PDB file of all heavy atoms in Angstrom:
ATOM      1  N   GLY A1411       7.229  22.978 -12.819  1.00 98.00           N
ATOM      2  CA  GLY A1411       8.380  22.647 -13.673  1.00 98.00           C
ATOM      3  C   GLY A1411       8.624  21.144 -13.709  1.00 98.00           C
ATOM      4  O   GLY A1411       8.882  20.558 -14.783  1.00 98.00           O
ATOM      5  N   GLN A1412       8.545  20.513 -12.543  1.00 99.00           N
ATOM      6  CA  GLN A1412       8.769  19.053 -12.488  1.00 99.00           C
ATOM      7  C   GLN A1412       7.670  18.295 -13.233  1.00 99.00           C
ATOM      8  O   GLN A1412       7.929  17.285 -13.891  1.00 99.00           O
ATOM      9  CB  GLN A1412       8.835  18.581 -11.031  1.00 99.00           C
ATOM     10  CG  GLN A1412      10.073  19.075 -10.290  1.00 99.00           C
ATOM     11  CD  GLN A1412      10.178  18.482  -8.890  1.00 99.00           C
ATOM     12  OE1 GLN A1412       9.809  17.341  -8.636  1.00 99.00           O
ATOM     13  NE2 GLN A1412      10.703  19.274  -7.979  1.00 99.00           N
ATOM     14  N   VAL A1413       6.448  18.786 -13.134  1.00 99.00           N
ATOM     15  CA  VAL A1413       5.328  18.124 -13.832  1.00 99.00           C
ATOM     16  C   VAL A1413       5.519  18.218 -15.350  1.00 99.00           C
ATOM     17  O   VAL A1413       5.403  17.219 -16.071  1.00 99.00           O
ATOM     18  CB  VAL A1413       3.969  18.744 -13.399  1.00 99.00           C
ATOM     19  CG1 VAL A1413       2.855  18.375 -14.371  1.00 99.00           C
ATOM     20  CG2 VAL A1413       3.627  18.301 -11.984  1.00 99.00           C
ATOM     21  N   GLU A1414       5.837  19.409 -15.834  1.00 98.00           N
ATOM     22  CA  GLU A1414       6.033  19.584 -17.280  1.00 98.00           C
ATOM     23  C   GLU A1414       7.143  18.663 -17.781  1.00 98.00           C
ATOM     24  O   GLU A1414       7.007  18.003 -18.817  1.00 98.00           O
ATOM     25  CB  GLU A1414       6.374  21.056 -17.598  1.00 98.00           C
ATOM     26  CG  GLU A1414       5.193  22.003 -17.458  1.00 98.00           C
ATOM     27  CD  GLU A1414       4.062  21.725 -18.452  1.00 98.00           C
ATOM     28  OE1 GLU A1414       4.333  21.293 -19.591  1.00 98.00           O
ATOM     29  OE2 GLU A1414       2.885  21.914 -18.075  1.00 98.00           O
ATOM     30  N   ALA A1415       8.260  18.626 -17.030  1.00 98.00           N
ATOM     31  CA  ALA A1415       9.404  17.801 -17.442  1.00 98.00           C
ATOM     32  C   ALA A1415       9.041  16.316 -17.407  1.00 98.00           C
ATOM     33  O   ALA A1415       9.416  15.551 -18.312  1.00 98.00           O
ATOM     34  CB  ALA A1415      10.597  18.079 -16.526  1.00 98.00           C
ATOM     35  N   ALA A1416       8.298  15.904 -16.382  1.00 98.00           N
ATOM     36  CA  ALA A1416       7.949  14.485 -16.244  1.00 98.00           C
ATOM     37  C   ALA A1416       7.010  14.042 -17.367  1.00 98.00           C
ATOM     38  O   ALA A1416       7.185  12.966 -17.954  1.00 98.00           O
ATOM     39  CB  ALA A1416       7.300  14.234 -14.881  1.00 98.00           C
ATOM     40  N   VAL A1417       6.016  14.866 -17.680  1.00 99.00           N
ATOM     41  CA  VAL A1417       5.056  14.490 -18.730  1.00 99.00           C
ATOM     42  C   VAL A1417       5.769  14.447 -20.094  1.00 99.00           C
ATOM     43  O   VAL A1417       5.530  13.536 -20.903  1.00 99.00           O
ATOM     44  CB  VAL A1417       3.824  15.425 -18.718  1.00 99.00           C
ATOM     45  CG1 VAL A1417       2.921  15.165 -19.912  1.00 99.00           C
ATOM     46  CG2 VAL A1417       3.046  15.254 -17.412  1.00 99.00           C
ATOM     47  N   ALA A1418       6.675  15.403 -20.319  1.00 98.00           N
ATOM     48  CA  ALA A1418       7.453  15.383 -21.569  1.00 98.00           C
ATOM     49  C   ALA A1418       8.320  14.124 -21.633  1.00 98.00           C
ATOM     50  O   ALA A1418       8.441  13.497 -22.702  1.00 98.00           O
ATOM     51  CB  ALA A1418       8.325  16.640 -21.658  1.00 98.00           C
ATOM     52  N   ALA A1419       8.907  13.724 -20.511  1.00 98.00           N
ATOM     53  CA  ALA A1419       9.754  12.520 -20.475  1.00 98.00           C
ATOM     54  C   ALA A1419       8.926  11.267 -20.770  1.00 98.00           C
ATOM     55  O   ALA A1419       9.384  10.354 -21.474  1.00 98.00           O
ATOM     56  CB  ALA A1419      10.445  12.393 -19.109  1.00 98.00           C
ATOM     57  N   VAL A1420       7.694  11.224 -20.268  1.00 98.00           N
ATOM     58  CA  VAL A1420       6.810  10.080 -20.533  1.00 98.00           C
ATOM     59  C   VAL A1420       6.497   9.998 -22.032  1.00 98.00           C
ATOM     60  O   VAL A1420       6.573   8.927 -22.647  1.00 98.00           O
ATOM     61  CB  VAL A1420       5.489  10.188 -19.722  1.00 98.00           C
ATOM     62  CG1 VAL A1420       4.490   9.120 -20.163  1.00 98.00           C
ATOM     63  CG2 VAL A1420       5.768  10.081 -18.232  1.00 98.00           C
ATOM     64  N   ALA A1421       6.161  11.142 -22.615  1.00 98.00           N
ATOM     65  CA  ALA A1421       5.828  11.170 -24.041  1.00 98.00           C
ATOM     66  C   ALA A1421       7.012  10.688 -24.867  1.00 98.00           C
ATOM     67  O   ALA A1421       6.849   9.958 -25.854  1.00 98.00           O
ATOM     68  CB  ALA A1421       5.412  12.583 -24.440  1.00 98.00           C
ATOM     69  N   GLU A1422       8.203  11.091 -24.451  1.00 98.00           N
ATOM     70  CA  GLU A1422       9.439  10.722 -25.149  1.00 98.00           C
ATOM     71  C   GLU A1422       9.727   9.217 -25.021  1.00 98.00           C
ATOM     72  O   GLU A1422      10.023   8.532 -25.993  1.00 98.00           O
ATOM     73  CB  GLU A1422      10.570  11.546 -24.502  1.00 98.00           C
ATOM     74  CG  GLU A1422      11.966  11.302 -25.009  1.00 98.00           C
ATOM     75  CD  GLU A1422      12.234  12.023 -26.316  1.00 98.00           C
ATOM     76  OE1 GLU A1422      11.546  13.025 -26.574  1.00 98.00           O
ATOM     77  OE2 GLU A1422      13.110  11.557 -27.058  1.00 98.00           O
ATOM     78  N   LYS A1423       9.602   8.708 -23.774  1.00 98.00           N
ATOM     79  CA  LYS A1423       9.965   7.310 -23.483  1.00 98.00           C
ATOM     80  C   LYS A1423       8.906   6.304 -23.925  1.00 98.00           C
ATOM     81  O   LYS A1423       9.218   5.258 -24.490  1.00 98.00           O
ATOM     82  CB  LYS A1423      10.111   7.142 -21.958  1.00 98.00           C
ATOM     83  CG  LYS A1423      11.553   7.136 -21.476  1.00 98.00           C
ATOM     84  CD  LYS A1423      11.602   6.763 -20.006  1.00 98.00           C
ATOM     85  CE  LYS A1423      12.338   7.828 -19.227  1.00 98.00           C
ATOM     86  NZ  LYS A1423      12.357   7.659 -17.795  1.00 98.00           N
ATOM     87  N   LEU A1424       7.630   6.617 -23.632  1.00 98.00           N
ATOM     88  CA  LEU A1424       6.567   5.625 -23.855  1.00 98.00           C
ATOM     89  C   LEU A1424       5.612   5.988 -24.983  1.00 98.00           C
ATOM     90  O   LEU A1424       4.960   5.115 -25.552  1.00 98.00           O
ATOM     91  CB  LEU A1424       5.752   5.426 -22.562  1.00 98.00           C
ATOM     92  CG  LEU A1424       6.502   4.867 -21.343  1.00 98.00           C
ATOM     93  CD1 LEU A1424       5.576   4.821 -20.126  1.00 98.00           C
ATOM     94  CD2 LEU A1424       7.048   3.466 -21.629  1.00 98.00           C
ATOM     95  N   GLY A1425       5.494   7.297 -25.265  1.00 98.00           N
ATOM     96  CA  GLY A1425       4.520   7.755 -26.256  1.00 98.00           C
ATOM     97  C   GLY A1425       3.565   8.751 -25.616  1.00 98.00           C
ATOM     98  O   GLY A1425       3.620   8.977 -24.398  1.00 98.00           O
ATOM     99  N   PRO A1426       2.675   9.378 -26.420  1.00 98.00           N
ATOM    100  CA  PRO A1426       1.780  10.402 -25.879  1.00 98.00           C
ATOM    101  C   PRO A1426       0.814   9.831 -24.832  1.00 98.00           C
ATOM    102  O   PRO A1426       0.083   8.878 -25.127  1.00 98.00           O
ATOM    103  CB  PRO A1426       1.010  10.889 -27.116  1.00 98.00           C
ATOM    104  CG  PRO A1426       1.182   9.817 -28.134  1.00 98.00           C
ATOM    105  CD  PRO A1426       2.481   9.140 -27.862  1.00 98.00           C
ATOM    106  N   PRO A1427       0.801  10.404 -23.633  1.00 98.00           N
ATOM    107  CA  PRO A1427      -0.101   9.876 -22.606  1.00 98.00           C
ATOM    108  C   PRO A1427      -1.558  10.237 -22.900  1.00 98.00           C
ATOM    109  O   PRO A1427      -1.857  11.401 -23.170  1.00 98.00           O
ATOM    110  CB  PRO A1427       0.386  10.565 -21.317  1.00 98.00           C
ATOM    111  CG  PRO A1427       1.086  11.803 -21.774  1.00 98.00           C
ATOM    112  CD  PRO A1427       1.649  11.514 -23.128  1.00 98.00           C
ATOM    113  N   VAL A1428      -2.446   9.248 -22.860  1.00 98.00           N
ATOM    114  CA  VAL A1428      -3.872   9.533 -23.072  1.00 98.00           C
ATOM    115  C   VAL A1428      -4.708   9.202 -21.840  1.00 98.00           C
ATOM    116  O   VAL A1428      -5.855   9.629 -21.736  1.00 98.00           O
ATOM    117  CB  VAL A1428      -4.450   8.800 -24.314  1.00 98.00           C
ATOM    118  CG1 VAL A1428      -3.904   9.400 -25.603  1.00 98.00           C
ATOM    119  CG2 VAL A1428      -4.193   7.313 -24.262  1.00 98.00           C
ATOM    120  N   VAL A1429      -4.142   8.443 -20.912  1.00 99.00           N
ATOM    121  CA  VAL A1429      -4.844   8.163 -19.645  1.00 99.00           C
ATOM    122  C   VAL A1429      -4.043   8.796 -18.519  1.00 99.00           C
ATOM    123  O   VAL A1429      -2.816   8.649 -18.465  1.00 99.00           O
ATOM    124  CB  VAL A1429      -5.004   6.649 -19.402  1.00 99.00           C
ATOM    125  CG1 VAL A1429      -5.538   6.377 -17.991  1.00 99.00           C
ATOM    126  CG2 VAL A1429      -5.934   6.037 -20.437  1.00 99.00           C
ATOM    127  N   LEU A1430      -4.743   9.523 -17.655  1.00 99.00           N
ATOM    128  CA  LEU A1430      -4.102  10.115 -16.474  1.00 99.00           C
ATOM    129  C   LEU A1430      -4.884   9.709 -15.233  1.00 99.00           C
ATOM    130  O   LEU A1430      -6.109   9.904 -15.192  1.00 99.00           O
ATOM    131  CB  LEU A1430      -4.085  11.651 -16.584  1.00 99.00           C
ATOM    132  CG  LEU A1430      -3.677  12.384 -15.295  1.00 99.00           C
ATOM    133  CD1 LEU A1430      -2.228  12.071 -14.915  1.00 99.00           C
ATOM    134  CD2 LEU A1430      -3.876  13.892 -15.449  1.00 99.00           C
ATOM    135  N   VAL A1431      -4.185   9.159 -14.252  1.00 99.00           N
ATOM    136  CA  VAL A1431      -4.810   8.866 -12.960  1.00 99.00           C
ATOM    137  C   VAL A1431      -4.155   9.761 -11.912  1.00 99.00           C
ATOM    138  O   VAL A1431      -2.975   9.601 -11.589  1.00 99.00           O
ATOM    139  CB  VAL A1431      -4.667   7.377 -12.572  1.00 99.00           C
ATOM    140  CG1 VAL A1431      -5.372   7.122 -11.236  1.00 99.00           C
ATOM    141  CG2 VAL A1431      -5.241   6.478 -13.667  1.00 99.00           C
ATOM    142  N   ASN A1432      -4.930  10.748 -11.429  1.00 99.00           N
ATOM    143  CA  ASN A1432      -4.453  11.665 -10.388  1.00 99.00           C
ATOM    144  C   ASN A1432      -4.680  11.005  -9.035  1.00 99.00           C
ATOM    145  O   ASN A1432      -5.780  11.055  -8.473  1.00 99.00           O
ATOM    146  CB  ASN A1432      -5.236  12.987 -10.447  1.00 99.00           C
ATOM    147  CG  ASN A1432      -4.865  13.832 -11.628  1.00 99.00           C
ATOM    148  OD1 ASN A1432      -3.695  14.083 -11.879  1.00 99.00           O
ATOM    149  ND2 ASN A1432      -5.872  14.290 -12.374  1.00 99.00           N
ATOM    150  N   ASN A1433      -3.625  10.356  -8.536  1.00 98.00           N
ATOM    151  CA  ASN A1433      -3.766   9.570  -7.308  1.00 98.00           C
ATOM    152  C   ASN A1433      -2.867  10.063  -6.165  1.00 98.00           C
ATOM    153  O   ASN A1433      -3.171   9.809  -5.005  1.00 98.00           O
ATOM    154  CB  ASN A1433      -3.453   8.103  -7.645  1.00 98.00           C
ATOM    155  CG  ASN A1433      -3.242   7.257  -6.405  1.00 98.00           C
ATOM    156  OD1 ASN A1433      -4.205   6.770  -5.805  1.00 98.00           O
ATOM    157  ND2 ASN A1433      -1.983   7.084  -5.990  1.00 98.00           N
ATOM    158  N   ALA A1434      -1.767  10.756  -6.487  1.00 98.00           N
ATOM    159  CA  ALA A1434      -0.803  11.153  -5.443  1.00 98.00           C
ATOM    160  C   ALA A1434      -1.524  11.914  -4.334  1.00 98.00           C
ATOM    161  O   ALA A1434      -2.374  12.765  -4.603  1.00 98.00           O
ATOM    162  CB  ALA A1434       0.289  12.035  -6.047  1.00 98.00           C
ATOM    163  N   GLY A1435      -1.190  11.577  -3.093  1.00 98.00           N
ATOM    164  CA  GLY A1435      -1.871  12.264  -1.997  1.00 98.00           C
ATOM    165  C   GLY A1435      -1.109  12.175  -0.698  1.00 98.00           C
ATOM    166  O   GLY A1435      -0.272  11.292  -0.512  1.00 98.00           O
ATOM    167  N   ILE A1436      -1.400  13.128   0.164  1.00 98.00           N
ATOM    168  CA  ILE A1436      -0.814  13.123   1.512  1.00 98.00           C
ATOM    169  C   ILE A1436      -1.893  13.501   2.520  1.00 98.00           C
ATOM    170  O   ILE A1436      -2.919  14.066   2.152  1.00 98.00           O
ATOM    171  CB  ILE A1436       0.356  14.131   1.638  1.00 98.00           C
ATOM    172  CG1 ILE A1436      -0.104  15.568   1.312  1.00 98.00           C
ATOM    173  CG2 ILE A1436       1.526  13.731   0.743  1.00 98.00           C
ATOM    174  CD1 ILE A1436       0.905  16.638   1.711  1.00 98.00           C
ATOM    175  N   LEU A1437      -1.633  13.175   3.770  1.00 97.00           N
ATOM    176  CA  LEU A1437      -2.496  13.605   4.875  1.00 97.00           C
ATOM    177  C   LEU A1437      -1.692  14.492   5.821  1.00 97.00           C
ATOM    178  O   LEU A1437      -0.509  14.217   6.065  1.00 97.00           O
ATOM    179  CB  LEU A1437      -2.974  12.399   5.695  1.00 97.00           C
ATOM    180  CG  LEU A1437      -3.934  11.392   5.083  1.00 97.00           C
ATOM    181  CD1 LEU A1437      -4.249  10.302   6.110  1.00 97.00           C
ATOM    182  CD2 LEU A1437      -5.211  12.079   4.621  1.00 97.00           C
ATOM    183  N   ARG A1438      -2.304  15.525   6.329  1.00 97.00           N
ATOM    184  CA  ARG A1438      -1.745  16.309   7.447  1.00 97.00           C
ATOM    185  C   ARG A1438      -2.925  16.622   8.363  1.00 97.00           C
ATOM    186  O   ARG A1438      -3.364  17.758   8.461  1.00 97.00           O
ATOM    187  CB  ARG A1438      -1.098  17.622   6.960  1.00 97.00           C
ATOM    188  CG  ARG A1438       0.102  17.473   6.066  1.00 97.00           C
ATOM    189  CD  ARG A1438       1.380  17.030   6.819  1.00 97.00           C
ATOM    190  NE  ARG A1438       2.502  16.975   5.908  1.00 97.00           N
ATOM    191  CZ  ARG A1438       2.841  15.896   5.185  1.00 97.00           C
ATOM    192  NH1 ARG A1438       2.126  14.781   5.290  1.00 97.00           N
ATOM    193  NH2 ARG A1438       3.876  15.925   4.379  1.00 97.00           N
ATOM    194  N   ASP A1439      -3.457  15.572   9.016  1.00 96.00           N
ATOM    195  CA  ASP A1439      -4.695  15.712   9.789  1.00 96.00           C
ATOM    196  C   ASP A1439      -4.471  16.520  11.067  1.00 96.00           C
ATOM    197  O   ASP A1439      -3.452  16.354  11.752  1.00 96.00           O
ATOM    198  CB  ASP A1439      -5.229  14.330  10.189  1.00 96.00           C
ATOM    199  CG  ASP A1439      -5.704  13.509   8.995  1.00 96.00           C
ATOM    200  OD1 ASP A1439      -5.709  14.023   7.865  1.00 96.00           O
ATOM    201  OD2 ASP A1439      -6.075  12.338   9.220  1.00 96.00           O
ATOM    202  N   ASN A1440      -5.442  17.344  11.402  1.00 96.00           N
ATOM    203  CA  ASN A1440      -5.464  18.050  12.668  1.00 96.00           C
ATOM    204  C   ASN A1440      -6.802  18.763  12.814  1.00 96.00           C
ATOM    205  O   ASN A1440      -7.417  19.115  11.802  1.00 96.00           O
ATOM    206  CB  ASN A1440      -4.335  19.093  12.742  1.00 96.00           C
ATOM    207  CG  ASN A1440      -3.552  18.959  14.038  1.00 96.00           C
ATOM    208  OD1 ASN A1440      -4.107  18.567  15.062  1.00 96.00           O
ATOM    209  ND2 ASN A1440      -2.276  19.278  13.984  1.00 96.00           N
ATOM    210  N   LEU A1441      -7.240  18.959  14.049  1.00 98.00           N
ATOM    211  CA  LEU A1441      -8.447  19.755  14.242  1.00 98.00           C
ATOM    212  C   LEU A1441      -8.161  21.190  13.787  1.00 98.00           C
ATOM    213  O   LEU A1441      -7.016  21.655  13.873  1.00 98.00           O
ATOM    214  CB  LEU A1441      -8.870  19.730  15.707  1.00 98.00           C
ATOM    215  CG  LEU A1441      -9.351  18.354  16.182  1.00 98.00           C
ATOM    216  CD1 LEU A1441      -9.603  18.370  17.690  1.00 98.00           C
ATOM    217  CD2 LEU A1441     -10.612  17.916  15.438  1.00 98.00           C
ATOM    218  N   LEU A1442      -9.191  21.848  13.312  1.00 98.00           N
ATOM    219  CA  LEU A1442      -9.035  23.183  12.717  1.00 98.00           C
ATOM    220  C   LEU A1442      -8.206  24.123  13.589  1.00 98.00           C
ATOM    221  O   LEU A1442      -7.303  24.808  13.113  1.00 98.00           O
ATOM    222  CB  LEU A1442     -10.429  23.781  12.459  1.00 98.00           C
ATOM    223  CG  LEU A1442     -10.471  25.226  11.975  1.00 98.00           C
ATOM    224  CD1 LEU A1442      -9.825  25.370  10.611  1.00 98.00           C
ATOM    225  CD2 LEU A1442     -11.912  25.711  11.911  1.00 98.00           C
ATOM    226  N   PHE A1443      -8.499  24.130  14.905  1.00 98.00           N
ATOM    227  CA  PHE A1443      -7.819  25.123  15.758  1.00 98.00           C
ATOM    228  C   PHE A1443      -6.338  24.824  15.943  1.00 98.00           C
ATOM    229  O   PHE A1443      -5.578  25.697  16.333  1.00 98.00           O
ATOM    230  CB  PHE A1443      -8.554  25.271  17.104  1.00 98.00           C
ATOM    231  CG  PHE A1443      -8.298  24.179  18.110  1.00 98.00           C
ATOM    232  CD1 PHE A1443      -7.409  24.399  19.167  1.00 98.00           C
ATOM    233  CD2 PHE A1443      -8.934  22.960  18.030  1.00 98.00           C
ATOM    234  CE1 PHE A1443      -7.172  23.410  20.113  1.00 98.00           C
ATOM    235  CE2 PHE A1443      -8.707  21.966  18.961  1.00 98.00           C
ATOM    236  CZ  PHE A1443      -7.830  22.189  20.002  1.00 98.00           C
ATOM    237  N   LYS A1444      -5.939  23.586  15.612  1.00 98.00           N
ATOM    238  CA  LYS A1444      -4.509  23.242  15.724  1.00 98.00           C
ATOM    239  C   LYS A1444      -3.824  23.162  14.357  1.00 98.00           C
ATOM    240  O   LYS A1444      -2.628  22.933  14.277  1.00 98.00           O
ATOM    241  CB  LYS A1444      -4.353  21.877  16.416  1.00 98.00           C
ATOM    242  CG  LYS A1444      -4.676  21.915  17.891  1.00 98.00           C
ATOM    243  CD  LYS A1444      -4.185  20.672  18.589  1.00 98.00           C
ATOM    244  CE  LYS A1444      -5.166  19.539  18.433  1.00 98.00           C
ATOM    245  NZ  LYS A1444      -4.933  18.393  19.310  1.00 98.00           N
ATOM    246  N   MET A1445      -4.602  23.296  13.281  1.00 98.00           N
ATOM    247  CA  MET A1445      -4.017  23.106  11.947  1.00 98.00           C
ATOM    248  C   MET A1445      -3.111  24.286  11.581  1.00 98.00           C
ATOM    249  O   MET A1445      -3.503  25.440  11.710  1.00 98.00           O
ATOM    250  CB  MET A1445      -5.127  22.923  10.910  1.00 98.00           C
ATOM    251  CG  MET A1445      -4.569  22.550   9.544  1.00 98.00           C
ATOM    252  SD  MET A1445      -5.851  21.973   8.447  1.00 98.00           S
ATOM    253  CE  MET A1445      -6.160  20.333   9.089  1.00 98.00           C
ATOM    254  N   THR A1446      -1.916  23.950  11.089  1.00 98.00           N
ATOM    255  CA  THR A1446      -0.968  25.011  10.717  1.00 98.00           C
ATOM    256  C   THR A1446      -1.194  25.433   9.263  1.00 98.00           C
ATOM    257  O   THR A1446      -1.823  24.709   8.477  1.00 98.00           O
ATOM    258  CB  THR A1446       0.485  24.520  10.858  1.00 98.00           C
ATOM    259  OG1 THR A1446       0.695  23.485   9.894  1.00 98.00           O
ATOM    260  CG2 THR A1446       0.770  23.990  12.265  1.00 98.00           C
ATOM    261  N   ASP A1447      -0.614  26.569   8.913  1.00 98.00           N
ATOM    262  CA  ASP A1447      -0.667  27.031   7.523  1.00 98.00           C
ATOM    263  C   ASP A1447      -0.043  25.981   6.611  1.00 98.00           C
ATOM    264  O   ASP A1447      -0.525  25.717   5.505  1.00 98.00           O
ATOM    265  CB  ASP A1447       0.137  28.332   7.339  1.00 98.00           C
ATOM    266  CG  ASP A1447      -0.449  29.492   8.132  1.00 98.00           C
ATOM    267  OD1 ASP A1447      -1.383  29.278   8.916  1.00 98.00           O
ATOM    268  OD2 ASP A1447       0.063  30.616   7.954  1.00 98.00           O
ATOM    269  N   ASP A1448       1.031  25.378   7.107  1.00 98.00           N
ATOM    270  CA  ASP A1448       1.729  24.394   6.281  1.00 98.00           C
ATOM    271  C   ASP A1448       0.884  23.121   6.090  1.00 98.00           C
ATOM    272  O   ASP A1448       0.883  22.530   5.001  1.00 98.00           O
ATOM    273  CB  ASP A1448       3.092  24.064   6.904  1.00 98.00           C
ATOM    274  CG  ASP A1448       3.929  23.229   5.962  1.00 98.00           C
ATOM    275  OD1 ASP A1448       4.153  23.701   4.825  1.00 98.00           O
ATOM    276  OD2 ASP A1448       4.311  22.099   6.330  1.00 98.00           O
ATOM    277  N   ASP A1449       0.157  22.709   7.159  1.00 98.00           N
ATOM    278  CA  ASP A1449      -0.745  21.541   7.026  1.00 98.00           C
ATOM    279  C   ASP A1449      -1.761  21.808   5.911  1.00 98.00           C
ATOM    280  O   ASP A1449      -2.095  20.924   5.114  1.00 98.00           O
ATOM    281  CB  ASP A1449      -1.543  21.304   8.318  1.00 98.00           C
ATOM    282  CG  ASP A1449      -0.698  20.822   9.479  1.00 98.00           C
ATOM    283  OD1 ASP A1449       0.370  20.238   9.252  1.00 98.00           O
ATOM    284  OD2 ASP A1449      -1.126  21.050  10.640  1.00 98.00           O
ATOM    285  N   TRP A1450      -2.277  23.016   5.909  1.00 98.00           N
ATOM    286  CA  TRP A1450      -3.284  23.387   4.905  1.00 98.00           C
ATOM    287  C   TRP A1450      -2.662  23.445   3.498  1.00 98.00           C
ATOM    288  O   TRP A1450      -3.115  22.779   2.565  1.00 98.00           O
ATOM    289  CB  TRP A1450      -3.905  24.744   5.268  1.00 98.00           C
ATOM    290  CG  TRP A1450      -4.883  25.229   4.236  1.00 98.00           C
ATOM    291  CD1 TRP A1450      -4.615  26.034   3.161  1.00 98.00           C
ATOM    292  CD2 TRP A1450      -6.278  24.909   4.153  1.00 98.00           C
ATOM    293  NE1 TRP A1450      -5.760  26.241   2.423  1.00 98.00           N
ATOM    294  CE2 TRP A1450      -6.793  25.575   3.000  1.00 98.00           C
ATOM    295  CE3 TRP A1450      -7.159  24.141   4.928  1.00 98.00           C
ATOM    296  CZ2 TRP A1450      -8.137  25.480   2.623  1.00 98.00           C
ATOM    297  CZ3 TRP A1450      -8.507  24.054   4.540  1.00 98.00           C
ATOM    298  CH2 TRP A1450      -8.977  24.705   3.409  1.00 98.00           C
ATOM    299  N   ASP A1451      -1.576  24.210   3.385  1.00 98.00           N
ATOM    300  CA  ASP A1451      -0.987  24.451   2.058  1.00 98.00           C
ATOM    301  C   ASP A1451      -0.445  23.174   1.426  1.00 98.00           C
ATOM    302  O   ASP A1451      -0.580  22.967   0.217  1.00 98.00           O
ATOM    303  CB  ASP A1451       0.158  25.477   2.156  1.00 98.00           C
ATOM    304  CG  ASP A1451      -0.358  26.878   2.437  1.00 98.00           C
ATOM    305  OD1 ASP A1451      -1.559  27.131   2.231  1.00 98.00           O
ATOM    306  OD2 ASP A1451       0.447  27.723   2.880  1.00 98.00           O
ATOM    307  N   SER A1452       0.170  22.304   2.232  1.00 98.00           N
ATOM    308  CA  SER A1452       0.784  21.116   1.623  1.00 98.00           C
ATOM    309  C   SER A1452      -0.294  20.151   1.118  1.00 98.00           C
ATOM    310  O   SER A1452      -0.147  19.584   0.026  1.00 98.00           O
ATOM    311  CB  SER A1452       1.759  20.431   2.590  1.00 98.00           C
ATOM    312  OG  SER A1452       1.137  20.172   3.810  1.00 98.00           O
TER     313      SER A1452
END
Side-chain angles (χ1 to χ4, degrees):
Q1412 292 185 35
V1413 164
E1414 288 296 327
V1417 172
V1420 171
E1422 177 80 24
K1423 259 188 235 175
L1424 297 176
V1428 289
V1429 171
L1430 169 65
V1431 182
N1432 287 310
N1433 166 84
I1436 59 167
L1437 292 180
R1438 296 286 183 271
D1439 293 355
N1440 230 329
L1441 292 174
L1442 174 64
F1443 78 101
K1444 288 194 277 193
M1445 187 167 285
T1446 66
D1447 296 7
D1448 189 57
D1449 291 336
W1450 176 268
D1451 289 342
S1452 53

